[in-house]
Amino acid sequence: MIGLIIAILIFNFIAFKFNRVLTLNQIVHIWCFTIAFQTTFDVFIEFKYQAYWYFNKEVDWAGEIPHLFVVPPVNMIFLNWFPFKGTHVKKAFYIILFVIAILGYEMITLFPEPWGYFHYGWWKLWHAAILDPILLLILLGYYKWICRLEKRSICQ
């Protein structure tokens, strides 16, 4: 739990202190999208197929903490520093570096308690290495959609 608390503090501090791109509306959208998307994914991968789990294999409140307070700010960080006006090579390089950072953090979460809180069933790090870029691209697509909706909004 110590590692989780440290991660929450660090990721949220970075996400909010260094945010220069995301509006409050976008932050709320990204936060809700992240929670909904990850929870939907985890219902199957975590609970039905027991590929991995947080803390223990049961549904519990402690397992919700990473869903609510770790992944959303990480997605904010990703979007805030994404090189939207860069070349495709620069964008691909950014995604690769970000995935490497995510994988590094995931390895730390596998440490024994009190530092770690994540456990593998049949899931391996290479599964995350393949899936993470896809999930980041989905996040980018969602963010671009939200930006288009904001531009068309008639709310004042």
Side-chain angles (χ1 to χ4, degrees):
M1 188 66 101
I2 292 172
L4 177 59
I5 293 168
I6 292 170
I8 289 170
L9 294 173
I10 290 172
F11 294 150
N12 280 278
F13 175 79
I14 292 169
F16 287 99
K17 179 70 176 173
F18 299 104
N19 176 35
R20 302 289 182 258
V21 175
L22 303 174
T23 65
L24 288 176
N25 182 53
Q26 292 167 349
I27 290 170
V28 170
H29 273 87
I30 296 305
W31 208 279
C32 292
F33 171 78
T34 301
I35 292 168
F37 192 68
Q38 183 181 5
T39 301
T40 302
F41 183 83
D42 280 357
V43 162
F44 291 96
I45 301 301
E46 182 177 347
F47 299 117
K48 183 174 183 177
Y49 299 116
Q50 297 188 343
Y52 57 75
W53 56 90
Y54 299 93
F55 297 105
N56 59 60
K57 291 182 181 181
E58 304 300 319
V59 176
D60 62 1
W61 289 107
E64 284 299 304
I65 295 170
H67 289 91
L68 298 173
F69 302 111
V70 174
V71 182
V74 169
N75 283 347
M76 285 176 58
I77 293 166
F78 173 77
L79 290 171
N80 191 56
W81 291 324
F82 187 81
F84 288 101
K85 297 183 189 213
T87 65
H88 290 302
V89 172
K90 190 172 185 177
K91 292 175 184 178
F93 185 68
Y94 179 79
I95 291 171
I96 290 167
L97 285 178
F98 210 84
V99 168
I100 291 169
I102 291 171
L103 296 175
Y105 176 71
E106 188 169 316
M107 289 189 327
I108 292 170
T109 65
L110 293 168
F111 288 171
E113 290 188 37
W115 300 104
Y117 59 92
F118 193 58
H119 306 278
Y120 280 162
W122 55 263
W123 192 266
K124 303 293 180 224
L125 197 62
W126 68 267
H127 291 105
I130 292 169
L131 193 59
D132 287 349
I134 297 167
L135 296 175
L136 291 173
L137 290 172
I138 292 170
L139 174 66
L140 277 169
Y142 180 78
Y143 174 72
K144 288 179 181 181
W145 180 58
I146 292 303
C147 290
R148 282 195 309 274
L149 290 177
E150 281 185 341
K151 287 180 184 175
R152 292 185 359 192
S153 176
I154 58 172
C155 296
Q156 298 298 331

